[in-house]
């Protein structure tokens, strides 16, 4: 076949920022991206959490002060976000460790394990939210 008779090859370019809304990623990709975002969130919040832990251990007075501060609804939402980030990062990390052993790498298994990660992490986060907001 001559060079002129060959059909043009398709060109695959990088996705642009304006095309992100119309791009449909598989659930496994979304779980992987959320794993990275939750890890970044945990890393960035770690100095603040350690600062609060250090201050809470200074005396009973500072502990009571921080306990009162933690009873505010916005602070509870931040604690819930940290809890969900930890739970999701832990569950997705287990999923990635299993996949590192070449288990569940096919498309169907990856989708099922990503659904499992979301189901477990959201269920545990709901239990934490119920306890945090005083349901039990």
């Amino acid at each position: 076949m001559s060079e002129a008779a060959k059909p043009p090859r398709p060109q695959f370019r990088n996705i642009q920022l304006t095309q992100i809304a119309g791009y449909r990623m598989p659930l496994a990709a979304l779980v992987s991206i959320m794993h990275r975002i939750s890890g970044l969130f945990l890393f960035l919040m770690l100095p603040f959490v350690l600062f609060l832990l250090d201050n809470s251990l200074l005396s009973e007075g500072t502990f009571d002060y921080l306990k009162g501060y933690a009873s505010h609804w916005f602070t509870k939402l931040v604690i819930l976000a940290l809890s969900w980030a930890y739970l999701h990062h832990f569950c997705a990390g287990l999923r990635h460790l299993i996949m590192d052993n070449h288990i569940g790498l096919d498309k169907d298994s990856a989708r099922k394990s990503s659904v499992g990660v979301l189901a477990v992490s959201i269920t545990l986060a709901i239990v934490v939210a119920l306890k945090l907001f005083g349901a039990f």
Side-chain angles (χ1 to χ4, degrees):
M1 184 179 259
S2 69
E3 293 293 324
K6 287 185 179 178
R9 294 182 62 174
Q11 293 183 1
F12 299 101
R13 304 205 183 267
N14 290 337
I15 188 168
Q16 301 298 320
L17 193 59
T18 58
Q19 298 169 327
I20 288 179
Y23 189 74
R24 187 175 170 268
M25 286 192 285
L27 187 60
L30 292 174
V31 168
S32 180
I33 290 169
M34 288 192 314
H35 177 71
R36 294 171 186 182
I37 291 171
S38 64
L40 177 68
F41 181 63
L42 289 170
F43 178 75
L44 293 176
M45 292 300 288
L46 185 63
F48 181 66
V49 171
L50 290 176
F51 172 75
L52 291 177
L53 176 65
D54 183 44
N55 282 343
S56 71
L57 297 175
L58 289 176
S59 68
E60 266 186 61
T62 57
F63 177 79
D64 289 336
Y65 173 75
L66 291 174
K67 186 177 175 184
Y69 185 70
S71 65
H72 192 265
W73 66 270
F74 183 75
T75 310
K76 287 184 180 183
L77 285 179
V78 171
I79 293 169
L80 181 61
L82 277 169
S83 300
W84 174 82
Y86 172 74
L87 293 168
H88 177 78
H89 196 75
F90 180 79
C91 294
L94 289 178
R95 175 180 178 259
H96 286 295
L97 284 175
I98 291 169
M99 291 174 77
D100 284 344
N101 289 316
H102 304 286
I103 300 170
L105 293 178
D106 61 298
K107 189 176 182 178
D108 190 46
S109 297
R111 186 183 56 77
K112 287 179 183 177
S113 65
S114 61
V115 168
V117 165
L118 284 178
V120 169
S121 65
I122 290 173
T123 303
L124 291 174
I126 289 172
V127 170
V128 169
L130 290 174
K131 178 66 176 166
L132 195 59
F133 288 100
F136 57 89

